[in-house]
């Protein structure tokens, strides 16, 4: 009998589940996610599920972790401060390809260097400028990202830059050629920047999770879910944290398939921060051919074809000021629900809310609080941000008591983006407490916060909502509306025969929306989803039945929908893919592009065999390092030729090797 422990750290809750022999859920449990130290929430959930199941901790043969930490960090613009070393590209590429936005003020340098398409050196690397840049910024960043032109054809300049950074600073370095074997330097650079930004965050999570599991007595190896749903070792996840983006959503799809057996359905997973929608087709989730996209960032990471929207139970509620009627909209940023904060600091929260309610005029910051988050990196923090942090200290404060001048708003935003400060405000979770749909936290605090929010004046001069429950219903309706739009966008995006328009435009089109209501005038319109939706997440049962009704589709809510991510974390497989290219720089010459540098052959067959040999060894080695057993290998060759004067001439070949197997189970 094999007992498997799955853990998922979400934005609000950390879930744990124990599965017997990969066929039966023995027990599941939840604990609040502890943002300052995620391992505390992990420990709470694991202890709870062990107590509920009654199993001996020594019987746990495998532990696996899925996490939305990387996804949420990128959606919310958080992460460590990094420096980009951009070799062989043009300065304007930084802005054209969105790298300046991704850096968000972090340092970058464009250096002479790089290689050509065939792997030959185009320009020597400017080591003097590199040394000066690293010396200037080494102490103010948590890591470096390196991307060189055609590094996947010859990584020599990236390898040299990595060596210099290690020699001068000892900081971690993310090199683009180690994260993707594909061309497209700016996109590889984006992937390297985001990977570098996440290294410290994921390293802390995994390290503390392993510590807490050992403290509890779990001696089994820890696996981590990758963005395509496959499992990797904790050591591999620490080296390439970018591969864990969409880890939680990918695990939820694996879990959805395991729980329902569905072959063709949309899977919608609502968490505290995001709603993640993917298509299950033929029983398997599709891999995004363009690379994973989270928020505004398109990466070169292989991940499930997932549409992630900043919409969840803890999404910030915004007042819509346009028009006479007014209204609310949700997200994309996650905030701490006021009802939850009131559990931690009841006197501060209730005293402030009561004082604000006694005021005859609504204040700009009514119902909003903040607190510092301990244990985060302070690298690159300026004097204005430092002064704000000192003012906040270790307590909870009404936002209006901390912001003394409008100029400090920017400094506060930067602190929130870096994960150093957490804002609390009205959320759908608060609305659910007001309506009696949830009772885990402080309902009175939620009612007061919504009463304050409802005092805002619409364009017609009327209050947005006279009672807290009226506003609460408005917020829940808006979440269901935005969820329906997210599902429609995903469906339009996955349609085999496209409609020639942006899925976001199609989802909101007047004909689509009128059709959902069954318009029947001179024209009859009937629209909806043509496949079932599997609703996942702790709050799916609260929000999703109405979404299914709105879209005219079957809404499947599995028994263990609230812990689907944790289930998917332990029923997946280890899968390692390695890809490489053979080119022909001149007739009769075949160049194999390897991570150690190019190798030339006179024979096509020998070149392809050499590449496959190297890729097989790398894929199998990585699978074994991840703890896979009974490894199976699949090889795909894509050889491209061209007809020249009546004969076929070799142009290029790409080989992909996939090694997969179930994790080795045993203590």
């Amino acid at each position: 009998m094999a007992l498997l422990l799955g853990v998922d750290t979400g934005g609000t809750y950390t879930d744990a589940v124990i599965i017997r022999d990969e066929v039966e859920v023995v027990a599941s449990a939840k604990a609040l996610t502890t943002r300052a130290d995620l391992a505390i929430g992990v420990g709470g959930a694991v202890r709870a599920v062990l107590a509920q199941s009654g199993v001996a901790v020594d019987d746990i043969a495998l532990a696996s972790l899925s996490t939305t930490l990387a996804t949420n960090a990128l959606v919310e613009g958080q992460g460590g401060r990094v420096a980009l070393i951009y070799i062989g590209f043009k300065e304007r590429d930084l802005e054209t390809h969105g790298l300046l936005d991704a850096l968000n003020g972090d340092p970058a340098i464009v250096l002479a260097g790089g290689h050509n398409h065939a792997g030959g050196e185009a320009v020597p690397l400017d080591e003097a400028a590199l040394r000066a840049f690293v010396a200037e910024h080494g102490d103010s960043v948590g890591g470096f990202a390196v991307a060189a032109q055609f590094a996947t054809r010859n990584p020599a300049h990236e390898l040299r830059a990595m060596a210099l950074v290690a020699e001068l600073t000892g900081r971690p370095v993310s090199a683009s050629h180690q994260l993707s074997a594909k061309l497209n330097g700016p996109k590889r650079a984006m992937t390297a920047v985001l990977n570098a930004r996440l290294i410290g965050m994921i390293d802390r999570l995994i390290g503390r999770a392993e510590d807490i599991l050992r403290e509890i007595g779990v001696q089994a190896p820890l696996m981590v879910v990758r963005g395509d749903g496959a499992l990797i070792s904790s050591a591999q996840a620490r080296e390439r944290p970018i591969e864990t983006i969409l880890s939680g959503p990918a695990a939820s799809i694996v879990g959805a398939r395991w729980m329902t057996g569905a072959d063709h359905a949309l899977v919608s997973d609502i968490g505290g921060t995001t709603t993640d929608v993917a298509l299950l087709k033929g029983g398997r989730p599709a891999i995004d051919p363009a690379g994973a996209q989270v928020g505004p960032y398109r990466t070169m990471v292989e991940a499930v074809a997932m549409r992630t929207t900043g919409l969840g139970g803890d999404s910030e509620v915004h007042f819509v000021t346009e028009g006479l009627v007014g209204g609310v909209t949700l997200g994309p940023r996650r905030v701490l629900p006021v009802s939850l904060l009131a559990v931690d600091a009841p006197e501060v929260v209730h005293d402030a809310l009561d004082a604000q309610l006694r005021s005859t005029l609504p204040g700009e910051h009514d119902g909003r609080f903040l607190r510092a988050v301990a244990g985060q990196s302070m690298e690159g923090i300026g004097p204005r941000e430092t002064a704000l942090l000192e003012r906040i200290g270790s307590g909870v404060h009404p936002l209006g008591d901390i912001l003394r001048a409008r100029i400090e708003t920017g400094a506060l935003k930067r602190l929130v983006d870096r994960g150093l400060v957490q804002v609390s405000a009205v959320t759908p979770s608060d609305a659910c407490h007001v309506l009696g749909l949830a009772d885990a936290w402080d309902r009175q605090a939620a009612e007061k916060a919504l009463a304050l929010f409802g005092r805002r004046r619409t364009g017609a001069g009327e209050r947005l909502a006279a009672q807290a429950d009226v506003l609460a219903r408005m917020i829940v309706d808006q979440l269901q509306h935005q969820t329906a739009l997210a599902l429609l966008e995903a469906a339009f995006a996955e349609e085999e025969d496209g409609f020639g328009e942006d899925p976001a435009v199609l989802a909101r089109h007047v004909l689509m929306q009128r059709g959902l209501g069954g318009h029947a005038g001179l024209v009859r319109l009937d629209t909806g989803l043509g496949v079932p939706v599997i609703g996942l997440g702790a709050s799916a049962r609260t929000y999703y039945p109405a979404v299914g009704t709105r879209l005219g589709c079957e809404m499947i809510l599995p028994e263990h929908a609230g812990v689907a991510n944790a289930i998917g974390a332990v029923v997946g497989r280890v899968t390692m893919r390695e890809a490489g290219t053979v080119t022909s720089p001149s007739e009769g010459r075949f160049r194999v592009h390897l991570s150690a540098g190019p190798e030339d052959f006179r024979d096509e067959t020998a070149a392809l065999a050499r590449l496959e040999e190297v890729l097989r060894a790398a894929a199998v080695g990585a699978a074994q390092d991840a703890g896979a057993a009974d490894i199976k290998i699949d090889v795909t060759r894509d050889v491209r030729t061209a007809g020249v004067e009546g004969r076929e001439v070799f142009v290029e070949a790409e080989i992909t090797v996939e090694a997969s197997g179930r994790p080795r189970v045993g203590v």
Side-chain angles (χ1 to χ4, degrees), residues 228 230 250 253-254 257 261-265 267 278-287 304-305 494 573 575 577 634 658 660:
D228 60 357
I253 297 172
V254 175
R257 164 70 175 171
D263 284 326
H264 195 203
V267 179
L279 178 65
L280 197 59
K281 191 173 183 180
R284 299 185 64 177
I287 301 300
V304 169
E494 294 294 339
R573 294 173 63 83
T575 302
R577 297 182 193 88
D634 182 58
E658 181 177 287
S660 64

Side-chain angles (χ1 to χ4, degrees), residues 46-354:
V46 171
R47 288 187 177 95
V49 79
L50 286 170
Q52 189 181 119
S53 67
V55 305
V57 68
D58 292 341
D59 291 337
I60 301 297
L62 178 73
S64 188
L65 175 72
S66 74
T67 176
T68 60
L69 179 63
T71 308
N72 294 348
L74 297 185
V75 168
E76 297 179 23
Q78 296 182 356
R81 192 167 190 263
V82 302
L84 171 63
I85 299 168
Y86 203 41
I87 303 170
F89 298 97
K90 295 179 173 61
E91 188 85 34
R92 66 172 179 268
D93 288 348
L94 291 172
E95 184 171 1
T96 304
H97 297 281
L99 288 165
L100 286 181
D101 289 338
L103 285 164
N104 195 26
D106 290 354
I109 187 171
V110 179
L111 293 176
H115 292 75
N116 58 34
H117 183 272
E121 185 177 76
V123 180
L125 177 63
D126 187 349
E127 288 197 18
L130 174 58
R131 284 180 177 274
F133 177 77
V134 172
E136 180 183 356
H137 297 287
D139 292 335
S140 64
V141 299
F144 286 80
V146 180
Q149 191 174 39
F150 286 112
T152 54
R153 296 297 165 85
N154 190 337
H157 287 179
E158 284 196 6
L159 292 171
R160 180 56 183 154
M162 291 175 69
L164 278 174
V165 170
E167 172 192 327
L168 296 172
T169 71
R171 301 286 192 191
V173 188
S174 296
S176 77
H177 79 278
Q178 295 177 337
L179 298 170
S180 175
K182 297 178 181 177
L183 297 176
N184 193 330
K187 202 167 165 184
R188 282 200 324 276
M190 175 72 77
T191 306
V193 166
L194 299 179
N195 190 70
R197 198 179 292 291
L198 293 169
I199 281 177
M201 189 180 289
I202 295 295
D203 184 68
R204 284 191 297 274
L205 168 62
I206 292 174
R208 289 288 292 125
E210 288 177 330
D211 289 345
I212 209 80
L213 289 175
R214 298 293 177 268
E215 181 183 306
I216 292 170
V218 177
Q219 300 300 319
L222 179 65
M223 308 291 288
V224 179
V225 182
R226 204 169 56 192
D228 60 357
L231 303 180
I232 55 178
S233 71
S234 59
Q236 290 167 330
R238 281 173 146 150
E239 291 176 5
R240 299 185 178 189
I242 189 69
E243 293 188 355
T244 69
I245 61 172
L246 301 179
S247 160
S252 73
I253 297 172
V254 175
R257 164 70 175 171
W258 186 85
M259 288 186 288
T260 66
D263 284 326
H264 195 203
L266 283 171
V267 179
S268 184
D269 184 5
I270 181 170
T273 307
T274 61
T275 291
D276 307 304
V277 183
L279 178 65
L280 197 59
K281 191 173 183 180
R284 299 185 64 177
I287 301 300
D288 192 337
Q293 178 156 354
V294 181
Y297 305 119
R298 174 69 72 176
T299 72
M300 297 194 86
V301 175
E302 285 192 348
V304 169
M306 178 83 65
R307 293 182 77 88
T308 298
T309 306
L311 176 68
D314 298 344
S315 290
E316 184 174 6
V317 179
H318 301 278
F319 176 50
V320 176
T321 57
E322 295 82 8
L324 296 177
V325 179
V328 296
T329 186
L330 310 178
R333 186 183 293 278
R334 175 190 184 271
V335 293
L336 190 69
V338 175
S339 53
L340 175 55
L341 183 67
V343 174
D344 293 341
E347 290 187 13
V348 173
V349 172
H350 280 283
D351 287 350
L353 293 173
D354 290 340

Side-chain angles (χ1 to χ4, degrees), residues 13-16 28-32 41 44-45 48-49 52 537-538 561-563:
Y13 284 105
T14 294
D15 304 329
S28 64
K30 289 180 176 291
L32 281 171
V49 79
Q52 189 181 119
V563 291

